[in-house]
Amino acid sequence: MTEIILRPKGRIDIMVEAEAINPDIFAGKTTVEIEQLIVWQGAKQLPLSGFFDVEGSAGSTAADTKIIVRGNVPRVKHIGHGMKAGEIVIEGSAGMHVGSEMMGGSILVKGDAGSWAGMEMKGGTLHIIGNADDHVGCAYRGSWRGMNGGKILIEGNARSQLGGGMNGGEIHVGGSVENFPGIRMNSGLIVVKGDAIRGVGAEMAGGTFVVSGKIEQFSPGFEYVGTEKNPKVGETVLSGEFMKFTGDYAIIKPKGILYASKEANEGV
């Protein structure tokens, strides 16, 4: 795989929209051609070289292209948007919409990620070493269908509305989540190893949601059906004893399943 390195040039004030940072777009281009790719800053169209030093060369195909961003880019949005193949490594934090509408390939963020990471993702793997903001794997505003394929791995915490409208794929969170994770979830799997605040699986119609820690406030539309020890969900085997619920009965004929740690939640 051929590597091309982007080094940020100093501080960015107005956020930059950089869908161009994508193996599908870099593939087959020379370094000079990559430098001339257009990004947006507010109403201005500017060359990528205005914000990054570019080294190396792209592969002949997206699958042969690895983009390495050497540094923190929290004010650069849409990195890897819609990518179909190849690899992106961000050696720091990423801005909003990293991996949005991603179809294939892999993105590794070694720091934190902004809101809307993996929005309406369809395939591939998005791995965030740090924390993620709101709306990971969610649907666009006004849409009912969020992520429907691929896998999102978050080693830290995620904020609110994780997996909103999720229609397939998997999200795994090593830490805790906040409000309304899995809201309007239709299919897929979400596993949270830490705690959740409230609204877990609200208006859930299908899929499976797992919380290995404590849920501060359960949604009222879930019905307790029993306890399972070391249940298997998809290819994931959960360790410990879990209370199993179905719901959300706030909607008609729900098929959603919620597993919550018995030790952390019994008597809540």
Side-chain angles (χ1 to χ4, degrees), residues 29-190:
K29 291 182 173 62
T30 66
T31 303
V32 172
E33 288 172 329
I34 291 170
E35 289 174 336
Q36 293 172 350
L37 289 170
I38 295 299
V39 299
W40 287 83
Q41 188 177 45
K44 295 180 179 178
Q45 296 185 58
L46 300 165
L48 185 65
S49 61
F51 302 95
F52 294 92
D53 290 320
V54 181
E55 299 175 16
S57 57
S60 58
T61 67
D64 292 329
T65 301
K66 179 177 182 178
I67 301 171
I68 301 173
V69 180
R70 289 259 159 88
N72 290 304
V73 284
R75 300 188 68 77
V76 179
K77 300 162 59 176
H78 292 283
I79 293 176
H81 189 126
M83 67 183 278
K84 299 180 179 68
E87 185 176 348
I88 298 175
V89 176
I90 301 170
E91 297 180 345
S93 294
M96 297 168 65
H97 292 277
V98 61
S100 287
E101 299 187 52
M102 185 176 179
M103 299 181 189
S106 68
I107 299 176
L108 173 63
V109 181
K110 293 188 176 181
D112 300 329
S115 299
W116 303 100
M119 180 193 67
E120 298 196 2
M121 183 175 177
K122 300 172 179 65
T125 301
L126 172 59
H127 186 175
I128 300 164
I129 300 294
N131 302 316
D133 281 343
D134 300 315
H135 307 296
V136 172
C138 257
Y140 276 113
R141 297 283 192 197
S143 173
W144 290 89
R145 294 289 181 265
M147 174 182 181
N148 63 41
K151 183 178 286 189
I152 298 176
L153 308 171
I154 302 168
E155 295 193 21
N157 303 316
R159 300 196 66 185
S160 296
Q161 297 197 27
L162 173 89
M166 187 175 180
N167 211 38
E170 297 184 17
I171 301 176
H172 296 258
V173 180
S176 297
V177 296
E178 296 184 6
N179 304 301
F180 296 100
I183 185 171
R184 297 189 304 276
M185 185 176 178
N186 299 294
S187 184
L189 171 65
I190 299 176

